Amino acid sequence: MNYNSRIITIANQKGGVGKTTTAINLATALAAIGEQVLIVDLDPQGNASTGLGIDRRDRSVSSYDLLMGTHTVEQTVLPTAVPNLSIVPSTMDLLGFEMEIAQEADRVFRLRHALGQASLCYTYVILDCPPSFNLLTMNAMAAAQSVLVPLQCEFFALEGLSQLLETVNQVRQTVNPSLDIQGIVLTMFDSRNNLAQQVVNDVRTYLGDKVYHTLIPRNVRVSEAPSYGKPAILYDLKCAGSQAYLQLASEVIQRERQRKAA
Ligand SMILES: Nc1ncnc2c1ncn2[C@@H]1O[C@H](COP(=O)(O)OP(=O)(O)OP(=O)(O)O)[C@@H](O)[C@H]1O
Ligand SMILES: [Mg+2]
């Protein structure tokens, strides 16, 4: 992989917090402004692949083959309906990965190795993780330069977040010393809910400028889009959720500029 690529893993061990929705729509927004973007679907559920309209019959090779080292990125990547956005899809085969690879010394570094070997140039590589700290998520954390954390605006959000930050620290001390926090994005925000506003305030107090200004609203168009195999941004560009993801992408790019300048 070109060393100019920014590899970002979208992670949170909690299920249903908006990881995949963020992966798909952030990637689409980045691609729409001309970045070359790759998504690697690392979840056996394959929600990112389905949400980007990849038919199951077209997933003859997948991220499983990439992790097993039998195929390269070039051999597993598929185009999507979004120009500049490609995906390495996933299949249920990934469920077996952990068991099959448990004894291998390099088991955490499979993805890093595969991405390192790739000759295609992407400015952003987005890794969509399953809801657990398993070997798939560890491969993502070992391969990535940074972690982007979607946090659902609800009561238990902060509790899960401290566990996640602790895991990132452990990863830094062991397999990936340069792993950074890309940012925290608050998802499914409902302005009519007082508790949601309280969570936003708490997270901002606790994590300061690591938290993106953009709040992703709870928006029915965003939840409908995957059933049409489309990112929300293609399904309904004007809806509040799509607009929020475009705004998030511009914050991500702005921070990248600042980081590079520093
Ligand atoms: N902003 C939003 N507004 C409305 N619904 C949303 C929004 N973001 C996500 N959802 C819906 O919430 C559900 C969970 O979202 P998503 O699949 O992105 O979470 P996830 O963290 O990837 O889940 P998992 O842990 O199972 O991988 C989905 O049905 C999705 O369509
Ligand atoms: Mg998901």
Side-chain angles (χ1 to χ4, degrees):
M1 188 76 48
N2 185 307
Y3 67 89
N4 280 322
S5 312
R6 183 74 175 162
I7 307 177
I8 302 174
T9 182
I10 314 277
N12 189 329
Q13 75 282 11
K14 208 164 176 312
V17 297
K19 290 181 289 297
T20 303
T21 305
T22 299
I24 291 177
N25 288 292
L26 176 61
T28 300
L30 290 169
I33 36 188
E35 304 287 351
Q36 292 296 323
V37 188
L38 173 69
I39 290 192
V40 182
D41 188 348
L42 291 170
D43 188 344
Q45 298 179 102
N47 295 152
S49 310
T50 308
L52 281 166
I54 307 295
D55 196 292
R56 288 198 183 271
R57 283 164 300 190
D58 295 329
R59 301 182 207 172
S60 54
V61 286
S62 69
S63 55
Y64 169 80
D65 303 284
L66 196 63
L67 290 163
M68 293 306 282
T70 56
H71 291 71
T72 62
V73 171
E74 286 79 358
Q75 289 167 331
T76 49
V77 73
L78 295 173
T80 70
V82 182
N84 306 330
L85 176 61
S86 305
I87 183 166
V88 175
S90 87
T91 61
M92 300 283 262
D93 290 343
L94 274 181
L95 286 172
F97 171 70
E98 195 148 6
M99 295 265 282
E100 287 168 53
I101 215 79
Q103 306 301 326
E104 307 285 329
D106 69 343
R107 61 189 177 276
V108 178
F109 299 107
R110 292 301 186 99
L111 184 64
R112 183 198 281 188
H113 182 72
L115 293 179
Q117 296 285 304
S119 55
L120 295 170
C121 291
Y122 299 99
T123 38
Y124 287 92
V125 178
I126 308 283
L127 310 174
D128 186 32
C129 288
S132 123
F133 290 134
N134 60 12
L135 193 54
L136 293 163
T137 300
M138 286 305 148
N139 263 270
M141 289 207 183
Q145 291 150 358
S146 66
V147 188
L148 194 155
V149 185
L151 210 62
Q152 194 179 337
C153 301
E154 53 154 36
F155 181 64
F156 290 113
L158 274 168
E159 196 175 317
L161 183 63
S162 37
Q163 266 175 41
L164 180 70
L165 296 177
E166 181 51 36
T167 303
V168 171
N169 267 333
Q170 281 169 15
V171 170
R172 272 194 200 125
Q173 284 160 26
T174 51
V175 296
N176 188 357
S178 56
L179 187 67
D180 202 1
I181 301 286
Q182 183 81 24
I184 318 285
V185 60
L186 294 158
T187 63
M188 294 183 241
F189 178 72
D190 182 351
S191 58
R192 293 163 303 183
N193 180 337
N194 290 337
L195 177 63
Q197 189 56 58
Q198 186 59 45
V199 171
V200 172
N201 296 343
D202 288 353
V203 173
R204 288 200 194 285
T205 307
Y206 182 47
L207 289 154
D209 58 9
K210 278 288 172 204
V211 188
Y212 292 106
H213 296 295
T214 307
L215 279 176
I216 309 294
R218 186 177 282 285
N219 183 260
V220 70
R221 305 294 275 169
V222 170
S223 58
E224 285 167 4
S227 60
Y228 294 89
K230 284 184 179 173
I233 290 172
L234 279 196
Y235 175 62
D236 183 353
L237 176 64
K238 293 213 171 80
C239 77
S242 297
Q243 290 298 312
Y245 274 111
L246 287 169
Q247 199 185 326
L248 178 67
S250 67
E251 271 197 77
V252 168
I253 287 181
Q254 203 180 338
R255 285 193 190 185
E256 276 310 288
R257 286 208 192 104
Q258 287 167 355
R259 193 183 58 82
K260 281 185 182 151

